[in-house]
Amino acid sequence: MSRRRGKAVEEEKADIDLTPMLDVVFIMLIFFIVTASFVKEKALDVNVPDPNETESTPPDPNKQNILITVNSADEIWMGQNRIDSRAVRARIAQMFAENPQAIVIIRAHNKSSADTYVTIADAAKEVNPNIQVSLVPFEKE
């Protein structure tokens, strides 16, 4: 009988009490939840033009400007030609050399990604840092 009591005592000693560890985990969880609510995320301020505002009219795409169209599949078109994103800078440089007063107008579909717009705008700024880049949204496919 003493053998059984000995094993029972050994089994009892082998148990680890997890209550203090759970208390610490819950205290840490509460701490992180409370401090996370006070942390302000920094975001980019986007100035979106008011659609009801008639003062700022978009540039005329037929007026010797560089018109670049981006569809919903992020394909880049200049005129009737589809252009690879790596060739955009060379095409803008060529057209800007012909007309130094030209404005780069990007007609981007609402479902196109911002990365495509940024790629085109960066390419235009590489050609000439003073070049004006304008974004005109459109709904067509």
Side-chain angles (χ1 to χ4, degrees), residues 21 40 129:
M21 186 178 72
K40 294 248 179 183

Side-chain angles (χ1 to χ4, degrees), residues 63-66 95-96 99-104 131-132:
K63 189 181 166 189
Q64 297 279 326
N65 291 323
I66 303 169
M95 295 178 82
F96 191 73
N99 185 8
Q101 290 84 22
I103 298 171
V104 175
I131 196 168
Q132 183 180 355

